[in-house]
Amino acid sequence: MATTAPVHPVDEVPPVRQLAAFGLQHVLAMYAGAVAVPLIVGGAMKLSPADLAYLITADLLVCGIATLIQCVGFWRFGVRLPIMQGCTFAAVSPMVLIGTTGGGLPAIYGSVIVAGLAIVLLAPVFGRLLRYFPPLVTGTVILVIGVSLLPVAGNWAAGGVGSADFGEPKNIGLAAFVLVVVLGVQRFAPVFLSRIAVLIGIVVGLAVAAPFGFTDFDGVGDADWVGISTPFHFGAPTFEASAVISMLVVALVTMTETTGDLIAVGELTGREVEPRGLSDGLRADGLSTVLGGVFNTFPYTAYAQNVGLVSMTRVRSRWVVATAGAILVLLGLLPKLGAVVAAVPAPVLGGAGLVMFGSVAASGLRTLARVDFKDNHNLTVVAVSVAMGTLPVGVPTIYAKFPDWFQTVMNSGISAGCVTAIALNLLFNHLPSQAVSAPKPVPLAPAGVERPAGQEAV
């Protein structure tokens, strides 16, 4: 009698009740970041409240579609891992510049469409670079991702950037309360409840916050019940050379960041990303970015926030994140539901974010534990890469005097750390060494025997 092959945890389909709870948890983890990009760009362009609301619902709709493409996949589009998609922050500065210097939204969308097509074309090239991402590089990148995200959680915990009561003890106290609830549920609750510890923490935090005036549901009453984003709502796209060039630089940055995120999720889920899978994931990014330009929103990339949730909950099913994508589509079509989710106070998200983003950094350390640091330069690779990755996080204005293209690459701690780790790994572990004590080539390991982490066969 033939035995059925076991289903990989990535492909498991949990019961509907769990799918809904796990999926909603992913939506809450990324919602604030998802709507931040249209708010920042639209605010800088002084758009009307109606146009801002339109940008947000369009963004949520395409976020959901992009997530479904990435998780479910079709043909050669989608890595088929639990990856949430959202607007990339790397594009914010260039888009604000394009939008406020005469080009407007049509010039932004024209450049976004070209960038998306470029990502689709370049995806196979990036796929062939996977051999330059051994555990030494991936562990460092995952660590930098986690450390780079922690200030986001800190700003939420303090009340949200720009809030009048930023840093008030009541905000920190609410965030700390949510953090304690998340940890308590994770430690003492049954297995199923421990896996939705973040969702429970957010719900309990919201319940506690409401009586104390932390929540504002006024936007729910003002929001429409149904809203559909139509192609080129703000006019036909225009293609200006300077705008297109700046967005192509952004495309290279987001491809680097997405590569790090895809490899991180592959490590966490036990399904390592192969060159073909990486190409398919990047190709999905490109398609989603093209859709963004058509449906009045922005470039899309894998969301590192949700990598932390996968790490913390150990729920590895891609169908959970696909469910989150479906929820985002609903939020994009039903603005009133989106307004309810938007009413979650920033300190509540901050308390949950601290443990999620910290989990990403801890996962990076776990990967680095497999790397051989004896009699080689691997420690230098990690040290300098982490330093370069955290520099723009700790000193956000350090590159303010540099050209725009340089700022686009280096102001993102994730891309700065990733580029540095790849370059130093090439320098120390791939180029021929002139030193007398140069390490000997690592022999090919027999089948079934794992080669020391961080080393490549020569």
Side-chain angles (χ1 to χ4, degrees), residues 141-154:
V141 171
I142 297 169
L143 174 59
V144 170
I145 290 172
V147 173
S148 297
L149 288 172
L150 285 173
V152 175

Side-chain angles (χ1 to χ4, degrees), residues 377-398:
H377 300 287
N378 288 343
L379 193 62
T380 301
V381 174
V382 176
V384 178
S385 302
V386 171
M388 293 300 293
T390 55
L391 201 56
V393 176
V395 190
T397 57
I398 188 168

Side-chain angles (χ1 to χ4, degrees), residues 24 30 84 88 104 115 118 125 152 163 172 228 307 330 354 377 404 448:
L24 180 58
M30 62 81 70
M84 289 291 290
T88 174
V125 177
V152 175
S163 62
I172 309 296
I228 298 176
V307 176
L330 275 178
L354 285 171
H377 300 287
D404 289 341

Side-chain angles (χ1 to χ4, degrees), residues 135 138 142 262-272 366-367 370:
T138 59
I142 297 169
L262 296 185
I263 292 172
V265 173
E267 293 262 351
L268 293 173
T269 58
R271 176 177 282 178
E272 291 191 6
R366 182 175 61 190
T367 301
R370 297 160 42 198

Side-chain angles (χ1 to χ4, degrees), residues 99-444:
T100 56
T101 55
L105 287 171
I108 291 177
Y109 295 140
S111 64
V112 167
I113 290 171
V114 173
L117 293 173
I119 292 172
V120 172
L121 294 174
L122 290 173
V125 177
F126 263 71
R128 289 194 286 272
L129 299 178
L130 196 58
R131 66 185 295 264
Y132 299 111
F133 286 84
L136 171 65
V137 173
T138 59
T140 303
V141 171
I142 297 169
L143 174 59
V144 170
I145 290 172
V147 173
S148 297
L149 288 172
L150 285 173
V152 175
N155 284 321
W156 286 344
V161 175
S163 62
D165 60 351
F166 187 87
E168 289 282 347
K170 64 176 184 177
N171 292 335
I172 309 296
L174 177 58
F177 170 74
V178 172
L179 176 59
V180 169
V181 171
V182 171
L183 295 176
V185 170
Q186 200 171 17
R187 173 64 180 84
F188 299 108
V191 173
F192 168 67
L193 291 180
S194 71
R195 289 180 172 177
I196 56 170
V198 170
L199 178 59
I200 293 173
I202 290 174
V203 170
V204 172
L206 184 59
V208 170
F212 292 98
F214 281 93
T215 54
D216 180 8
F217 289 100
D218 291 343
V220 178
D222 297 335
D224 295 328
W225 279 104
V226 178
I228 298 176
S229 180
T230 55
F232 307 125
H233 174 79
F234 295 98
T238 60
F239 303 92
E240 299 183 9
S242 59
V244 168
I245 291 170
S246 63
M247 205 56 67
L248 288 175
V249 174
V250 170
L252 292 174
V253 172
T254 57
M255 292 180 80
T256 304
E257 290 185 351
T258 297
T259 298
D261 290 332
L262 296 185
I263 292 172
V265 173
E267 293 262 351
L268 293 173
T269 58
R271 176 177 282 178
E272 291 191 6
V273 176
E274 302 292 335
R276 179 185 172 115
L278 176 58
S279 298
D280 292 349
L282 292 171
R283 202 177 280 112
D285 259 17
L287 175 60
S288 301
T289 297
V290 172
L291 290 176
V294 172
F295 286 96
N296 321 293
T297 180
F298 308 114
Y300 285 86
T301 187
Y303 251 36
Q305 288 94 318
N306 297 85
V307 176
L309 197 54
V310 172
S311 172
M312 196 191 101
T313 64
R314 298 185 296 281
V315 176
R316 296 179 279 177
S317 171
R318 62 191 172 106
W319 298 105
V320 164
V321 180
T323 303
I327 293 172
L328 285 171
V329 170
L330 275 178
L331 294 178
L333 295 174
L334 303 173
K336 201 170 283 290
L337 284 180
V340 172
V341 176
V344 176
V348 172
L349 295 174
L354 285 171
V355 64
M356 286 193 303
F357 303 160
S359 295
V360 179
S363 297
L365 293 175
R366 182 175 61 190
T367 301
L368 287 173
R370 297 160 42 198
V371 177
D372 179 14
F373 287 103
K374 184 181 290 186
D375 298 327
N376 56 39
H377 300 287
N378 288 343
L379 193 62
T380 301
V381 174
V382 176
V384 178
S385 302
V386 171
M388 293 300 293
T390 55
L391 201 56
V393 176
V395 190
T397 57
I398 188 168
Y399 301 120
K401 304 294 185 183
F402 283 73
D404 289 341
W405 67 267
F406 187 89
Q407 292 186 51
T408 300
V409 177
M410 299 304 290
N411 272 344
S412 165
I414 298 173
S415 63
C418 189
V419 169
T420 306
I422 294 169
L424 292 182
N425 178 56
L426 286 171
L427 175 65
F428 288 114
N429 295 325
H430 286 267
L431 295 181
S433 175
Q434 302 299 318
V436 176
S437 58
K440 296 180 180 179
V442 180
L444 290 171

Side-chain angles (χ1 to χ4, degrees), residues 31 34-61 87 96 105 108-109 222-224 229 233-234 295-298 331-332 335 338-339 342:
Y31 188 91
V35 300
V37 173
L39 280 173
I40 294 170
V41 176
M45 296 179 62
K46 297 181 170 52
L47 297 182
S48 68
D51 284 343
L52 273 177
Y54 194 95
L55 284 182
I56 290 171
T57 54
D59 175 36
L60 293 174
L61 175 65
C87 283
V96 168
L105 287 171
I108 291 177
Y109 295 140
D222 297 335
D224 295 328
S229 180
H233 174 79
F234 295 98
F295 286 96
N296 321 293
T297 180
F298 308 114
L331 294 178

Side-chain angles (χ1 to χ4, degrees), residues 65-113:
I65 294 171
T67 299
L68 288 168
I69 293 172
Q70 195 68 274
C71 296
V72 179
F74 69 93
W75 190 51
R76 295 296 305 277
F77 292 87
V79 71
R80 295 165 175 83
L81 285 174
I83 295 284
M84 289 291 290
Q85 297 285 108
C87 283
T88 174
F89 282 85
V92 169
S93 295
M95 288 192 301
V96 168
L97 189 64
I98 296 167
T100 56
T101 55
L105 287 171
I108 291 177
Y109 295 140
S111 64
V112 167
I113 290 171

